[in-house]
Amino acid sequence: MERTIRELRTQHDWTQVELANRLGVTPSTVYNWERGNWEPRASQLRQLATLFGVRMDEIKLLESGKPRPREA
């Protein structure tokens, strides 16, 4: 079952700031992931999966369904 980063984050009762701190990224990075403006890098996706206790392929990256640029 695919779930968005926002869904997984809220299930853990974490704010965007708390998730950002756990990953070593800025809160604006988490914000942009959740809005579908950027996608996490592969290493960040692995960290997200580990933190949330899910497989990488269970994290739905884009809500709109259309490709967006990856984070630089």
Side-chain angles (χ1 to χ4, degrees):
M1 174 178 160
E2 284 188 342
R3 290 173 283 172
T4 64
I5 294 171
R6 180 183 305 138
E7 290 169 334
L8 292 163
R9 176 180 58 76
T10 58
Q11 285 175 356
H12 283 79
D13 264 345
W14 294 338
T15 65
Q16 289 180 340
V17 172
E18 288 171 321
L19 178 57
N21 288 338
R22 291 171 188 269
L23 294 170
V25 299
T26 65
S28 64
T29 296
V30 173
Y31 172 88
N32 282 298
W33 288 343
E34 291 186 358
R35 299 305 177 283
N37 297 329
W38 299 338
E39 287 185 356
R41 295 179 186 141
S43 60
Q44 293 165 327
L45 189 57
R46 276 191 296 275
Q47 285 182 290
L48 285 164
T50 299
L51 277 174
F52 294 136
V54 299
R55 293 188 328 259
M56 288 172 57
D57 64 353
E58 291 180 75
I59 300 174
K60 182 178 176 185
L61 296 178
L62 302 177
E63 294 189 39
S64 67
K66 66 180 183 177
R68 301 276 176 107
R70 286 184 141 334
E71 178 188 357

